[in-house]
Amino acid sequence: MDADNKQVWRLIPLLEAPGQVQMAIDCWLLEQHILGHPSSLRFYTWSPPAISLGYHQREYPAYWQGIIWQGEKLELVRRPTGGRAVLHQGDLTYGVVTSRLNGSRIQMYEKICEFLIQGWRSLDVELHYGTAGRGYIHNPNCFGTATSADLVTVDNCKLIGSAQLRRGKAILQHGSIRLQPNAELFATVFGAESFTSVQFTQNLTRETIIAALVAAAIDCFGIQLILQPLSEDEWKQILAKK
């Protein structure tokens, strides 16, 4: 704690990497936090593009294993969190690791989502929770329906889908923010399913969005954020887990 009694969280700079590496980082951050390391916030992108499967998701189309897009194979990556498949292309993923929240699983989920709602509101984008019922479990596509766990725009277009993993009091929550999805690739993966992309009223760069979300996190969680890239030694530990 500093003189202002604010918790210090680690902010990891924007990182572009393959999906298996990104999931290894999230798992490593959770493990380190359990061992006493600070809470963390990070934003990242998937390169090459990938489909992430929920931890318990066993059924998905067989052809997903052979999709080629722009000369590269679309990777299939297993997340440590639950939920359904997410196509990671043209999106921005956030990751929060902390044990500083109290309440039920849903209450903690919503406490983390507060910074997303507030950050996007500062960019003149109002978000609320979706309303789809449990029928979504028959849809392998996370963005095919918007449940009460998802954040949608005023015209009910889903912008953010998130998932959570708990280990005792420690939480990993990460989620995909769909910014510039490719309609053709989406159709290739999910078939004829309707595709609706969020239309923003202003030109929002990834840097502008991250800055707004970082500011909102500082306010919502009442924290200080210290920018700290992953060290060479930390990378060795992470890559050993892939």
Side-chain angles (χ1 to χ4, degrees):
M1 295 284 186
D2 65 5
D4 296 324
N5 292 323
K6 287 186 177 180
Q7 298 165 11
V8 176
W9 285 29
R10 179 179 184 176
L11 176 64
I12 298 171
L14 178 67
L15 182 65
E16 180 180 290
Q20 287 192 352
V21 174
Q22 300 289 20
M23 294 302 91
I25 293 171
D26 279 355
C27 290
W28 181 84
L29 287 170
L30 179 62
E31 291 172 2
Q32 294 302 301
H33 183 61
I34 292 170
L35 294 174
H37 287 236
S39 301
S40 61
L41 169 66
R42 76 185 192 102
F43 298 92
Y44 56 94
T45 58
W46 305 57
S47 180
I51 300 171
S52 71
L53 302 170
Y55 184 76
H56 298 289
Q57 185 175 1
R58 294 292 171 249
E59 294 186 8
Y60 58 88
Y63 72 86
W64 283 6
Q65 300 184 46
I67 295 176
I68 304 294
W69 189 66
Q70 293 187 345
E72 288 190 284
K73 185 176 181 181
L74 198 63
E75 293 190 338
L76 273 180
V77 180
R78 181 74 61 180
R79 298 192 308 271
T81 53
R84 296 154 294 147
V86 177
L87 173 59
H88 298 281
Q89 173 279 319
D91 69 333
L92 174 68
T93 306
Y94 77 90
V96 171
V97 172
T98 189
S99 57
R100 302 295 186 176
L101 303 175
N102 297 311
S104 67
R105 181 185 293 268
I106 293 175
Q107 287 172 328
M108 287 189 282
Y109 181 90
E110 292 183 346
K111 284 178 182 178
I112 293 175
C113 286
E114 281 178 15
F115 95 94
L116 300 169
I117 295 171
Q118 181 172 313
W120 279 98
R121 182 178 293 131
S122 74
L123 299 171
D124 297 322
V125 178
E126 291 291 334
L127 298 176
H128 63 271
Y129 291 99
T131 57
R134 291 292 297 172
Y136 81 86
I137 61 174
H138 302 295
N139 188 338
N141 170 22
C142 175
F143 277 82
T145 52
T147 72
S148 59
D150 303 316
L151 293 174
V152 302
T153 62
V154 290
D155 53 359
N156 289 317
C157 185
K158 182 170 174 179
L159 179 64
I160 307 174
S162 302
Q164 191 183 93
L165 172 65
R166 291 177 66 176
R167 290 285 182 266
K169 289 188 175 181
I171 299 170
L172 160 65
Q173 183 168 314
H174 53 197
S176 172
I177 306 171
R178 191 161 67 168
L179 299 178
Q180 295 178 311
N182 181 281
E184 182 182 349
L185 179 59
F186 187 91
T188 299
V189 174
F190 297 114
E193 190 174 302
S194 61
F195 174 85
T196 307
S197 181
V198 176
Q199 300 299 314
F200 302 115
T201 57
Q202 55 180 310
N203 182 25
L204 297 174
T205 66
R206 195 165 57 187
E207 291 70 26
T208 299
I209 293 166
I210 291 173
L213 294 175
V214 165
I218 291 170
D219 185 53
C220 287
F221 299 132
I223 58 173
Q224 273 197 330
L225 276 172
I226 304 297
L227 188 68
Q228 184 183 357
L230 294 168
S231 69
E232 185 176 336
D233 182 58
E234 288 174 334
W235 270 116
K236 288 179 181 177
Q237 295 177 46
I238 291 162
L239 295 177
K241 290 186 163 297
K242 267 183 58 188

